Amino acid sequence: MSVEIINRWLPRYSLRVLLAAMTLLSLLMWRQMNWLQQRRDCLARGAIMAEPDPAVRAPGILSLFGEHGYSEIWGVGPAYEGGDAVYEQEIESLFPEADKVYVEIYCPPESDEDG
């Protein structure tokens, strides 16, 4: 009798529900890992500099993968069609935990040579 009562309250899921849940979990993990890779690539290019701040936690579940949080981002970026604002928005989307983002567009000096 007691086994019947326990079995009645145990949740039962079909294989289809399990596969759907695993697919959603995989998509979430892929998105987080892609975001992590984009952040690390941005810092590895060398144009953007940031010092990890122990008081700032990395967004999402990135801290589980060893990612640090950054309070300030600064650097010089390539010329974008939209100018400073577009490049700054891209950096802010990669590092939403940063309070301050200082980014300027790099414009190489024009040469004085006539040819």
Side-chain angles (χ1 to χ4, degrees), residues 70-90:
Y70 301 97
S71 59
E72 293 184 1
I73 309 286
W74 63 94
V76 177
Y80 266 58
E81 291 179 9
D84 288 350
V86 173
Y87 190 62
E88 192 169 310
Q89 285 176 354
E90 179 185 333

Side-chain angles (χ1 to χ4, degrees), residues 35-53:
W35 186 13
L36 177 67
Q37 187 63 41
Q38 288 177 349
R39 285 169 61 105
R40 290 184 176 171
D41 287 345
C42 184
L43 291 170
R45 279 185 253 150
I48 303 298
M49 297 172 56
E51 212 39 59
D53 188 353

Side-chain angles (χ1 to χ4, degrees), residues 10-112:
L10 288 177
R12 296 178 186 212
Y13 300 103
S14 67
L15 183 60
R16 186 177 302 151
V17 171
L18 178 67
L19 290 174
M22 291 303 294
T23 301
L24 290 175
L25 182 64
S26 298
L27 288 172
L28 173 69
M29 294 301 291
W30 170 77
R31 187 165 184 211
Q32 294 292 311
M33 293 304 291
N34 187 32
W35 186 13
L36 177 67
Q37 187 63 41
Q38 288 177 349
R39 285 169 61 105
R40 290 184 176 171
D41 287 345
C42 184
L43 291 170
R45 279 185 253 150
I48 303 298
M49 297 172 56
E51 212 39 59
D53 188 353
V56 178
R57 187 174 174 271
I61 60 172
L62 297 181
S63 58
L64 294 176
F65 301 111
E67 185 66 6
H68 302 285
Y70 301 97
S71 59
E72 293 184 1
I73 309 286
W74 63 94
V76 177
Y80 266 58
E81 291 179 9
D84 288 350
V86 173
Y87 190 62
E88 192 169 310
Q89 285 176 354
E90 179 185 333
I91 300 303
E92 285 176 353
S93 69
L94 288 176
F95 301 93
E97 77 275 15
D99 293 333
K100 300 174 184 170
V101 177
Y102 307 104
V103 179
E104 293 181 4
I105 300 299
Y106 172 71
C107 297
E110 296 180 20
S111 65
D112 293 334

